[in-house]
Amino acid sequence: PAANIPVTLMRDDQKIGHAVTDSDGRISDLLGNGALESGQYQLNFDVADYFARQASETLYETIPVKFVIRDTSRHYHIPLLLSPFGYSTYRGS
């Protein structure tokens, strides 16, 4: 798990949430008391300092993940699988 990675949630180029991953590499509440609306969003994972702490070279400083919310009644879990020279993401359960 990647701890202490700052993550910012954006909508329409506006910052609507910010948090840092915990020791399990998770964020329990990115919006505080806010709620998601239908639309396009982007998560920005700021990974440069994480790799610097690992004394590891990396190709990426920030990883943007764009996604669409269509059904606001559903739970959205978007894991980021990370390595110094690649990453993948998916919709988790």
Side-chain angles (χ1 to χ4, degrees), residues 26-41:
R26 297 176 177 262
I27 294 172
S28 61
D29 188 9
L30 188 57
L31 283 174
N33 292 328
L36 293 176
E37 299 175 6
S38 296
Q40 297 179 344
Y41 291 84

Side-chain angles (χ1 to χ4, degrees), residues 35-38 69-76 91:
L36 293 176
E37 299 175 6
S38 296
I69 300 290
R70 291 186 176 86
D71 182 352
T72 60
S73 68
R74 298 185 73 179
H75 174 77
Y76 289 87
R91 178 164 180 207

Side-chain angles (χ1 to χ4, degrees), residues 5-10 18 42-47 62-65:
I5 292 180
V7 180
T8 303
L9 178 62
M10 308 287 290
H18 181 79
Q42 180 170 315
L43 286 168
N44 292 318
F45 294 84
D46 296 319
V47 298
T62 302
I63 297 173
V65 177

Side-chain angles (χ1 to χ4, degrees), residues 1 3 10 32 36 53-55 76-77 93:
M10 308 287 290
L36 293 176
R53 289 190 305 271
Q54 306 298 315
Y76 289 87
H77 175 69
S93 56

